[in-house]
Amino acid sequence: MITTQEEVLSKVREIVAPWKGKAGGLIPILQQTQHEFGYLPPEAVEAISEEMLIPLAEIYGVATFYAQFHLTPRGRHIVRVCRGTACHVRGSLKILEKLKKNLHVVENGTTEDLRFTLEPVACLGACGLAPVMTIDEQTFGRVTPDALEGILEKFE
Amino acid sequence: MGLYRSHVLVCGGTGCVSSGSQAVLDALKKGLADKGLDKEILVVATGCHGMCEMGPIVVVYPEGTFYCRVTAADVPELVEEHLFKGRIVDRLIYKGEGTVADVPHYTDIPFYKKQHRIALRNCGYINPENIDEYIARDGYVALVKAVTEMTPDDVIETVKESGLRGRGGGGFPTGLKWSFCARSAGDKKYVICNADEGDPGAFMDRSLLEGDPHAIVEGMLLGAYAMGASEGYVYCRAEYPLAIRRLKRTIEQATEYGFLGDNILGTDFSFHLHIKEGAGAFVCGEETALMASIEGQRGMPRPRPPFPANKGLWGKPTNINNVETWANVASIIRNGGAWYAALGTEKSKGTKVFALTGKVNHTGLVEVPMGTTIREIVFEIGGGILNGKKFKAVQIGGPSGGCLTEEHLDIPISYESLSQVGAIMGSGGLVVMDEDNCMVDVAKFFLEFTQAESCGKCPPCREGTKKMLDILGRIVAGKGTPEDLDSLQYLGTMIKETSLCGLGQTAPNPVLTTLRYFRDEYEAHINEKRCPAGACVELARYVIDAKKCIGCTKCAKVCPVGAISGTVKQPHVIDQDKCIKCGACAEACPVKAIDRR
């Protein structure tokens, strides 16, 4: 885990290096930064701004525009519930509601112990298995509200 | 590649991987090695077969035996019986619906029989991570033909002759679009593949990228050659990690073989291809927003003209096509424009891939000639409605499309016929609804999506969709007034006419079409405070069937607001004024005596 200001700085310098003097780098830089820290810490964003000579306002403009970027820390496991059409008509709302209740979180919220972050997503593209949810890289198809507890248990 | 007496194809698409196909693949490899058959039988991980509902899918060639819902535990029997002794394992083959007999062969299955695969021709047939398998299926033949025998204009003319139109939804003639970019002056030009497939309920682009990525690269190469572009981007959703991984592999292999890079096949033609990962914004499917996103900005559309063909990415002439469009190009160049134009209707040529989902027996990907009817797709290929329920509507074209009814089932699908009835082709999502789906709820669902994804640049879309959503929220809560329907109609029409980009121009479609074809459902919500499908929570009523109730008191105990009363072993009653419609009682009831109405 990277913690000190200096470590953040040196990591950011590493990430921005290949993009210096090139156009179109901001989104890949933010993607990589988030990959590194799990979210976009303010120190990292400030460092990107100084290194790339892009105003902070512009970076935050981009970071808040796209759903992928997060400005607060997230859970160890990301639970995504598909809210696409096919899943909706096969009852994905019930799955989402039950998860909110069980984890005591709101949509896009993170549990207090940083174990889970719950995200409804537009479509996971696995409509044949509706309703679908994923935890990290694992996909669970034909999910029922009763199956949820058993699925969550597998993730510490 | 070595010679094998048999090929065992295991589907490696996202659907089948989720259903456990990797374990099947590993077990097959191990089982064959244990039997010493690994030198004569090859196991191949392919792209999507399309019939995701039946996954994991295993097909054995040369027989073409189609096994479905195979698990790792089934593999020893499959190896012993079929691959060693040559006897088909009956219990794993596809079982037809109802009266239809068992169908062991791939091409005889109704789901596949009516399909005509051009874009999907290699999906589920080859290993997408092996360029040699693509070449063995005439891959890169079109590229060689174009750069050695055809001028760039010849390529454009062939695409024009084919009648191919933008498969991303717009339906603009592809050849014509190319000619604009080709004519545009500039030292540098770009071609872009739009793989930001954001429509909920559509996954054809993902399956194509995962199942036959070389076809997309070859299509882009042909486009680049025709328009004089030297650089290209595939803008792909970050939510598709497998597609991105396979694309990277594809680019490496094509570069190694000399199909990508400088002086391709020893000619003056050079082309470099990059992958850009999207960051999660539906509006980036719009071409000007997509280009802004590649440039590293917020993905907001801008007014056109200037069109991308004149001023696109970084101010240079640019051509953007969708994945499925690119996937058709190589076949067209190889077989000629007339070959493609022979399929389809007068103005909509060729085939279209549809993602068939919702309350239908066989969900999955289907490719049919234009002009096929919705009935053929839903009932013949899709095998009809799930659990024998009644067909109610089909939502075509994703959140920008419209809901069509029973009376539209026999319309031959084309760009024109769909827009006549208020829907659009869109990217080809087909979501089937049955009698349990409330059309007001469905319209609200789509609008919630487009409203959340509105980029906020132009007021009609930003404010208008919000207002429409407020009204719909009132209606499903039983607080609507008859005037609300006029307001929805007025706002919807206004937003369509005045929004800046395709997102806003189509966002009201689901509401406008359901208002047109299911007005009675809106009226029931407003006038009778009743949801005919019983789907809207706030209008639902939980009622205990006194005949079924055994008076066990379980419901009364779980009710969080104490709305249920009654004595032990006597039928209980729910106080509707106290009830908060949480449904806990219905879940707790051991004899299913509680109905939601």
Side-chain angles (χ1 to χ4, degrees):
Chain A
M1 206 47 203
I2 302 171
T3 42
T4 71
Q5 185 87 12
E6 237 146 74
E7 280 173 309
V8 171
L9 265 179
S10 77
K11 197 76 224 172
V12 168
R13 285 206 185 102
E14 210 177 284
I15 291 169
V16 302
W19 290 101
K20 285 213 165 171
K22 279 194 205 158
L26 183 54
I27 291 171
I29 288 172
L30 291 177
Q31 283 170 333
Q32 228 182 318
T33 307
Q34 178 157 296
H35 183 75
E36 194 64 46
F37 302 103
Y39 71 110
L40 296 174
E43 307 86 56
V45 177
E46 277 162 34
I48 294 169
S49 165
E50 278 168 30
E51 291 287 325
M52 295 297 290
L53 302 174
I54 302 174
L56 263 184
E58 196 181 319
I59 301 184
Y60 277 112
V62 170
T64 51
F65 183 85
Y66 294 100
Q68 194 187 39
F69 299 120
H70 305 280
L71 302 175
T72 49
R74 307 174 75 218
R76 291 192 295 283
H77 304 289
I78 312 297
V79 182
R80 294 195 170 90
V81 181
C82 183
R83 293 287 291 124
T85 323
C87 289
H88 178 72
V89 299
R90 286 200 186 179
S92 68
L93 187 62
K94 276 190 191 145
I95 307 287
L96 183 66
E97 291 302 325
K98 179 106 185 220
L99 281 169
K100 277 159 73 174
K101 212 166 110 191
N102 285 11
L103 298 174
H104 303 289
V105 289
V106 293
E107 286 171 25
N108 296 308
T110 301
T111 55
E112 265 177 38
D113 56 2
L114 291 183
R115 187 170 158 206
F116 292 112
T117 296
L118 177 64
E119 288 183 350
V121 290
C123 182
L124 290 163
C127 315
L129 307 173
V132 180
M133 65 184 262
T134 61
I135 300 185
D136 303 334
E137 305 280 295
Q138 268 195 64
T139 308
F140 300 90
R142 301 187 189 97
V143 180
T144 60
D146 292 337
L148 289 173
E149 214 161 310
I151 294 173
L152 291 177
E153 265 173 22
K154 294 184 204 154
F155 297 85
E156 253 323 295
Chain B
M1 283 190 288
L3 281 175
Y4 295 87
R5 74 165 163 89
S6 183
H7 285 74
V8 183
L9 274 44
V10 182
C11 183
T14 294
C16 282
V17 168
S18 311
S19 307
S21 69
Q22 187 59 43
V24 173
L25 187 81
D26 294 340
L28 268 169
K29 282 188 175 162
K30 189 177 171 298
L32 289 176
D34 289 349
K35 276 242 172 262
L37 292 170
D38 51 335
K39 295 282 181 291
E40 34 186 303
I41 298 173
L42 184 67
V43 182
V44 186
T46 67
C48 183
H49 280 77
M51 208 173 180
C52 311
E53 177 86 25
M54 286 288 154
I57 287 167
V58 174
V59 186
V60 183
Y61 283 100
E63 305 93 302
T65 312
F66 185 90
Y67 291 114
C68 47
R69 295 211 172 144
V70 181
T71 66
D74 298 324
V75 169
E77 186 183 347
L78 204 62
V79 171
E80 176 72 27
E81 287 298 309
H82 190 149
L83 301 172
F84 190 59
K85 296 180 182 156
R87 293 195 289 235
I88 287 175
V89 181
D90 273 334
R91 67 178 183 87
L92 293 174
I93 62 171
Y94 173 79
K95 302 281 188 286
E97 293 299 317
T99 55
V100 185
D102 296 357
V103 193
H105 293 288
Y106 199 5
T107 45
D108 295 334
I109 295 172
F111 183 80
Y112 292 106
K113 216 173 177 176
K114 280 231 155 189
Q115 294 196 43
H116 190 107
R117 299 187 148 207
I118 295 174
L120 291 174
R121 71 187 188 100
N122 286 330
C123 282
Y125 205 73
I126 62 168
N127 175 354
E129 301 197 23
N130 187 341
I131 188 171
D132 291 333
E133 296 204 7
Y134 179 66
I135 291 172
R137 296 271 293 163
D138 293 337
Y140 292 108
V141 166
L143 174 70
V144 175
K145 182 177 171 188
V147 298
T148 58
E149 296 170 21
M150 299 168 83
T151 65
D153 277 346
D154 291 341
V155 175
I156 292 178
E157 283 310 312
T158 308
V159 176
K160 274 188 185 167
E161 189 194 353
S162 76
L164 178 65
R165 294 168 64 174
R167 293 289 187 252
F172 194 81
T174 306
L176 194 61
K177 192 170 178 179
W178 287 16
S179 69
F180 294 150
C181 184
R183 276 209 309 267
S184 187
D187 51 336
K188 177 112 193 162
K189 292 180 188 175
Y190 296 96
V191 292
I192 297 174
C193 172
N194 183 349
D196 191 42
E197 184 176 55
D199 279 23
F203 51 102
M204 58 284 291
D205 292 352
R206 196 207 59 212
S207 288
L208 281 166
L209 290 163
E210 288 177 1
D212 197 14
H214 281 285
I216 292 143
V217 171
E218 189 179 4
M220 292 185 76
L221 275 159
L222 291 162
Y225 175 73
M227 290 174 269
S230 57
E231 220 172 321
Y233 288 92
V234 180
Y235 185 91
C236 185
R237 292 180 85 189
E239 287 91 335
Y240 289 174
L242 183 62
I244 290 171
R245 207 186 74 211
R246 292 214 171 129
L247 265 176
K248 284 183 179 157
R249 182 103 191 85
T250 300
I251 292 175
E252 279 166 24
Q253 288 178 341
T255 309
E256 194 188 311
Y257 276 55
F259 298 133
L260 275 175
D262 290 323
N263 301 102
I264 291 164
L265 298 167
T267 64
D268 293 340
F269 172 51
S270 299
F271 184 65
H272 295 268
L273 188 57
H274 315 280
I275 300 168
K276 275 275 170 180
E277 281 182 39
F282 177 67
V283 70
C284 286
E286 201 280 338
E287 56 184 15
T288 57
L290 186 152
M291 291 187 301
S293 182
I294 292 181
E295 291 173 3
Q297 302 162 22
R298 302 165 67 131
M300 286 182 161
R302 60 162 176 75
R304 293 172 298 184
F307 287 94
N310 299 313
K311 251 183 148 125
L313 189 62
W314 286 303
K316 306 288 185 190
T318 303
N319 179 77
I320 301 186
N321 282 123
N322 143 282
V323 174
E324 192 187 330
T325 314
W326 289 119
N328 279 303
V329 173
S331 291
I332 290 171
I333 299 300
R334 215 174 42 245
N335 299 311
W339 165 82
Y340 194 78
L343 286 164
T345 66
E346 192 196 337
K347 285 182 178 163
S348 302
K349 301 294 186 192
T351 58
K352 174 79 189 95
V353 182
F354 291 97
L356 186 60
T357 59
K359 303 276 185 75
V360 63
N361 274 314
H362 299 148
T363 54
L365 272 195
V366 300
E367 182 171 354
V368 290
M370 294 276 190
T372 305
T373 64
I374 301 174
R375 187 187 299 278
E376 286 172 281
I377 298 177
V378 174
F379 289 92
E380 292 182 33
I381 297 174
I385 309 302
L386 207 57
N387 302 326
K389 296 238 177 178
K390 196 169 173 296
F391 170 88
K392 183 169 190 178
V394 57
Q395 164 78 13
I396 183 163
S400 323
C403 282
L404 302 182
T405 67
E406 183 104 42
E407 61 173 298
H408 303 112
L409 279 176
D410 293 309
I411 293 179
I413 292 183
S414 70
Y415 290 99
E416 291 73 25
S417 68
L418 289 178
S419 69
Q420 262 169 26
V421 290
I424 62 165
M425 181 79 76
S427 55
L430 271 180
V431 185
V432 179
M433 328 253 177
D434 68 10
E435 53 198 315
D436 294 340
N437 291 118
C438 165
M439 301 317 289
V440 185
D441 176 61
V442 166
K444 175 168 163 280
F445 168 81
F446 281 116
L447 201 65
E448 261 168 14
F449 175 81
T450 36
Q451 206 285 317
E453 293 294 340
S454 170
C455 80
K457 186 168 180 171
C458 72
C461 176
R462 182 184 66 224
E463 308 294 336
T465 54
K466 185 103 183 82
K467 269 277 159 273
M468 285 180 80
L469 195 56
D470 287 345
I471 296 173
L472 286 172
R474 276 209 303 274
I475 294 175
V476 297
K479 293 171 188 150
T481 62
E483 294 75 47
D484 281 342
L485 297 185
D486 298 331
S487 304
L488 282 177
Q489 186 76 40
Y490 169 76
L491 276 167
T493 314
M494 185 269 293
I495 295 166
K496 266 177 85 111
E497 282 168 3
T498 56
S499 288
L500 178 60
C501 82
L503 196 160
Q505 286 159 12
T506 55
N509 281 350
V511 181
L512 293 176
T513 50
T514 46
L515 263 179
R516 183 163 156 194
Y517 301 121
F518 297 96
R519 201 178 180 92
D520 54 328
E521 289 197 24
Y522 282 87
E523 285 165 353
H525 283 76
I526 293 172
N527 301 332
E528 303 162 36
K529 312 292 175 210
R530 181 178 68 87
C531 172
C536 292
V537 180
E538 288 177 70
L539 293 180
R541 291 179 65 214
Y542 284 91
V543 183
I544 298 175
D545 185 340
K547 283 185 198 130
K548 285 189 195 160
C549 180
I550 52 170
C552 70
T553 74
K554 276 190 182 143
C555 57
K557 280 182 196 140
V558 296
C559 179
V561 289
I564 304 179
S565 57
T567 39
V568 185
K569 296 200 175 154
Q570 294 296 319
H572 283 46
V573 190
I574 302 175
D575 182 342
Q576 296 300 334
D577 291 335
K578 284 187 189 163
C579 176
I580 56 167
K581 286 118 187 172
C582 68
C585 52
E587 270 178 52
C589 180
V591 291
K592 300 201 179 340
I594 303 179
D595 281 335
R596 181 172 156 165
R597 287 177 196 163

